[in-house]
Amino acid sequence: MWRKRLIRSSSTVFVALAVFISPAAASAADYFPRDLAEGDQGRDVVNLQVTLNADARSKVATTGAGSPGSETDFFGARTADAVVRYQGFKGISPANGKVSGATRQALQSDLAKITGA
């Protein structure tokens, strides 16, 4: 199962990106095709957690579910808290833990830098 491969990897962010983000994708906008909020599920939530985990200031978790290499497809309270921290250091207001508008654009830009898309 792919989650076991991610947990065993030493280069977690890049392995997660390789597993979840298709190199054939046209742009980073494809990685966040919708607004996201607590309770949502899907591949785009995994992309969100991977992007948040790429910066120590917005890590979802340091160990376990949501941590680098153990990203999940569920947008829970820890992901929402990480989004609030991300919004804070990016100067996005309101810092409400929801992914839309300026937050979504910033995440798309950051993920494009990570993946080289």
Side-chain angles (χ1 to χ4, degrees), residues 65-106:
S67 65
S70 295
E71 288 87 357
T72 71
D73 67 351
F74 181 71
F75 192 130
R78 289 190 295 180
T79 303
D81 289 343
V83 171
V84 168
R85 291 191 309 275
Y86 179 86
Q87 291 167 323
F89 72 76
K90 289 290 189 174
I92 298 169
S93 181
N96 58 9
K98 296 178 181 176
V99 176
S100 63
T103 302
R104 193 167 152 195
Q105 290 175 352

Side-chain angles (χ1 to χ4, degrees), residues 13 47-62 66 68 71 82-83 85-90 107 110-111 113-114:
V13 172
N47 295 338
L48 169 63
Q49 290 184 2
V50 167
T51 307
L52 293 169
N53 285 339
D55 190 308
R57 298 172 290 179
S58 59
K59 275 191 182 167
V60 175
T62 55
E71 288 87 357
V83 171
R85 291 191 309 275
Y86 179 86
Q87 291 167 323
F89 72 76
K90 289 290 189 174
L107 287 162
D110 286 349
L111 187 57
K113 290 173 191 171
I114 294 168

